[in-house]
């Protein structure tokens, strides 16, 4: 046991916590800096604690590698990690996300115009959304092959119903008085849809899109456990676990975390630009 590592990490965490408290409890003049600084320093504190515990307690790398070892492996394996990122995220998750979003939005418009579809399809959608991915993925891999197409199909299934349900609910969010006002202007269905109902539905739609960002990456990675070419995040994780190369596993997890966070952040940024009028986007400004 290395007490120097433990004491050093403890002192660093206390210092970071003190600075964070001072920034968080400030007078609010630098809210933008505070919103960025506090979570970053909190994350740094967790990494310092992780490093200190692993180094100080002598935890074997096959159980939990230190952040420094994971970062070193990340830098050594950038070429492999990039190939896996393109295979899993770009080809599998992103393509499936786009196809699932387009399909969900098209079906939502049909459901919105048909009370029969609303009553019949949405319960089926809730049932399909409850199906476990480990049951769906092997079937779709057998149907669409071992390459990225089967992973995209899994992602389509995972993101379709959350986006569908949120879009349908969003299209029903307008008040009756607003719809009646559009009728008095002799507005057609499509005019009412584009000028009133779609703008009002945007917070709901983006809620579904944000939920789907995490589901897309998870679905693509898990699907690769059931068959894939010799590349991809899921393939690499399952292979390196068998070889007890946990530093490479954590490097893949790091790539997935960065990609997922960036994807979510991009959708949230678009939401902020599109729904700037909504009260949820004006909070804290």
């Amino acid at each position: 046991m290395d007490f120097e590592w433990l004491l050093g990490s403890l002192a660093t965490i206390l210092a970071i916590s003190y600075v964070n408290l001072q920034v968080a409890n400030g007078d609010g003049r630098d809210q933008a800096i505070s919103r960025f600084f506090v979570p970053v320093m909190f994350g740094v504190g967790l990494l310092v604690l992780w490093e200190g515990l692993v180094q100080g307690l002598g935890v074997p790398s096959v159980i939990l590698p230190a952040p420094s070892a994971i970062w070193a492996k990340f830098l050594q394996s950038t070429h492999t990690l990039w190939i896996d990122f393109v295979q899993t995220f770009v080809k599998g998750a992103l393509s499936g996300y786009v196809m699932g979003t387009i399909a969900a939005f098209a079906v939502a418009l049909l459901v919105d115009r048909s009370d029969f579809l609303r009553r019949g399809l949405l319960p089926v959608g809730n049932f399909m959304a409850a199906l476990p991915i480990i049951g769906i993925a092997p079937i779709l891999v057998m149907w669409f092959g071992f390459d990225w197409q089967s992973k995209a199909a899994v992602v389509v299934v995972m993101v379709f119903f959350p986006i569908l349900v949120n879009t349908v609910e969003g299209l029903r969010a307008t008040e009756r008085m607003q719809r009646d006002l559009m009728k008095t202007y002799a507005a057609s269905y499509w005019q009412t849809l584009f000028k009133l109902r779609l703008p009002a539905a945007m917070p709901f739609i983006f809620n579904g899109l944000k939920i789907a960002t995490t589901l897309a990456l998870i679905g693509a990675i898990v699907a690769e456990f059931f068959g894939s070419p010799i590349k991809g995040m899921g393939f690499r994780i399952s292979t390196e676990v068998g070889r007890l190369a946990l530093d490479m596993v954590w490097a893949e997890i790091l790539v997935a975390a960065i990609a997922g966070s960036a994807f979510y952040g991009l959708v949230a940024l678009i939401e902020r630009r599109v729904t700037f009028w909504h009260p949820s986007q004006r909070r804290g400004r």
Side-chain angles (χ1 to χ4, degrees), residues 247-275:
D247 52 352
M248 186 61 178
V249 173
W250 279 98
E252 290 284 357
I253 293 173
L254 175 61
V255 173
I258 294 173
S261 300
F263 192 20
Y264 182 93
L266 177 61
V267 175
L269 181 62
I270 297 173
E271 177 190 21
R272 192 176 182 86
R273 296 292 183 268
V274 173
T275 63

Side-chain angles (χ1 to χ4, degrees), residues 88 92-93 133-134 137 141 150-159 212-226 234:
T88 302
I133 182 176
I134 58 174
V141 168
S150 59
K151 287 52 177 189
V154 172
V155 173
V156 169
V157 173
M158 291 195 67
V159 307
T213 57
T214 56
L215 293 177
L217 188 55
I218 292 171
I221 292 175
V222 173
E224 289 181 344
F225 280 81
F226 298 95

Side-chain angles (χ1 to χ4, degrees), residues 34-278:
S34 176
R35 284 197 299 266
F36 174 79
F37 181 83
V38 172
V40 168
M41 293 305 295
F42 185 80
V44 171
L46 290 179
L47 291 176
V48 171
L49 177 62
W50 181 355
E51 184 81 24
L53 290 176
V54 170
Q55 299 287 357
L57 300 177
V59 179
S61 60
V62 295
I63 297 178
L64 182 64
S68 57
I70 297 171
W71 182 247
K73 189 66 177 179
F74 178 88
L75 295 178
Q76 294 171 6
S77 309
T78 51
H79 179 68
T80 301
L81 294 172
W82 173 254
I83 293 175
D84 294 342
F85 169 79
V86 172
Q87 176 70 18
T88 302
F89 183 80
V90 178
K91 293 182 177 180
L94 192 57
S95 61
Y97 181 88
V98 172
M99 289 186 288
T101 299
I102 294 173
F105 188 74
V107 174
L109 293 180
L110 293 176
V111 169
D112 179 64
R113 300 208 69 177
S114 171
D115 190 57
F116 170 76
L117 287 177
R118 182 185 302 115
R119 294 180 179 180
L121 184 61
L122 291 185
V124 175
N126 293 329
F127 171 78
M128 292 293 295
L131 293 178
I133 182 176
I134 58 174
I136 298 174
I139 297 173
L140 294 179
V141 168
M142 296 304 297
W143 285 359
F144 295 97
F146 292 97
D147 208 347
W148 64 268
Q149 292 86 349
S150 59
K151 287 52 177 189
V154 172
V155 173
V156 169
V157 173
M158 291 195 67
V159 307
F160 178 81
F161 292 105
I163 297 176
L164 172 65
V165 171
N166 278 276
T167 303
V168 171
E169 288 301 315
L171 291 174
R172 300 173 62 187
T174 53
E175 298 179 1
R176 184 177 184 85
M177 183 180 296
Q178 295 172 320
R179 296 192 297 270
D180 290 342
L181 180 62
M182 295 298 291
K183 289 181 181 179
T184 61
Y185 293 149
S188 66
Y189 170 82
W190 295 107
Q191 289 174 323
T192 304
L193 177 68
F194 286 110
K195 294 184 180 298
L196 172 64
R197 303 180 68 205
L198 266 183
M202 281 301 164
F204 293 85
I205 295 174
F206 275 103
N207 184 52
L209 292 175
K210 288 189 294 185
I211 293 173
T213 57
T214 56
L215 293 177
L217 188 55
I218 292 171
I221 292 175
V222 173
E224 289 181 344
F225 280 81
F226 298 95
S228 67
I230 53 173
K231 55 185 176 180
M233 294 182 186
F235 166 81
R236 196 75 56 194
I237 290 173
S238 61
T239 302
E240 298 301 329
V241 164
R243 298 169 53 191
L244 298 180
L246 270 296
D247 52 352
M248 186 61 178
V249 173
W250 279 98
E252 290 284 357
I253 293 173
L254 175 61
V255 173
I258 294 173
S261 300
F263 192 20
Y264 182 93
L266 177 61
V267 175
L269 181 62
I270 297 173
E271 177 190 21
R272 192 176 182 86
R273 296 292 183 268
V274 173
T275 63
F276 60 90
W277 49 269
H278 197 263

